[in-house]
Amino acid sequence: MGKFVVKETKTGFTFRLVAGNGETIGTSEVYSSKDACLKGVESVRKNAPIANFEDQTAENPEKAVNPKFELYEDKAGEFRFRLTARNGEKILASEGYKAKASCKNGIESVRKNAPEAEVVVEE
């Protein structure tokens, strides 16, 4: 089972969604407070299972409505995804994947792990 790992940084708080195998699936932006960060976790939990899918690498990408996962190719040619909440805020971003199929698997992993993932606050 996955978990959300909340950690304080020099500039605020962030979280990572980590799969059962210990791999990081996605990371958050930096939040100004622990409370705001925990609200971000709840937003991922709520939005991930119902999020639409938008493949921005497709020839004629169809725009999806929020909440949505956006799959895109970065400048280095790697595939990434980000989860956008209903209000348009980016709430989770992935690392780069060499293969598009692996990126899609990452999205499915978020959908599967986020709703039931425990929250661990690192001190």
Side-chain angles (χ1 to χ4, degrees):
M1 194 48 113
K3 64 183 174 184
F4 286 99
V5 179
V6 176
K7 188 173 185 173
E8 187 170 5
T9 68
K10 287 186 168 91
T11 56
F13 289 83
T14 63
F15 66 82
R16 294 180 299 127
L17 177 57
V18 180
N21 64 4
E23 290 288 314
T24 296
I25 310 168
T27 55
S28 73
E29 64 182 8
V30 177
Y31 292 90
S32 57
S33 70
K34 183 174 166 185
D35 192 47
C37 188
L38 292 172
K39 285 183 179 153
V41 167
E42 287 309 311
S43 184
V44 171
R45 275 194 172 139
K46 186 174 85 179
N47 287 291
I50 61 167
N52 293 302
F53 176 70
E54 181 177 297
D55 184 351
Q56 297 177 348
T57 68
E59 183 128 348
N60 293 309
E62 221 173 276
K63 289 285 182 198
V65 296
N66 293 332
K68 67 182 172 183
F69 282 100
E70 298 169 325
L71 186 151
Y72 64 99
E73 194 172 346
D74 67 17
K75 289 183 178 99
E78 291 189 323
F79 295 95
R80 295 175 179 265
F81 67 82
R82 57 187 159 238
L83 175 59
T84 305
R86 196 176 300 278
N87 64 5
E89 292 286 316
K90 308 285 185 236
I91 52 177
L92 190 74
S94 75
E95 297 175 2
Y97 293 89
K98 299 280 184 222
K100 186 174 180 177
S102 299
C103 190
K104 285 183 170 180
N105 287 343
I107 291 170
E108 289 312 308
S109 186
V110 173
R111 288 189 196 277
K112 188 177 89 183
N113 284 285
E116 303 296 321
E118 69 172 312
V119 177
V120 177
V121 179
E122 288 187 346
E123 297 299 327

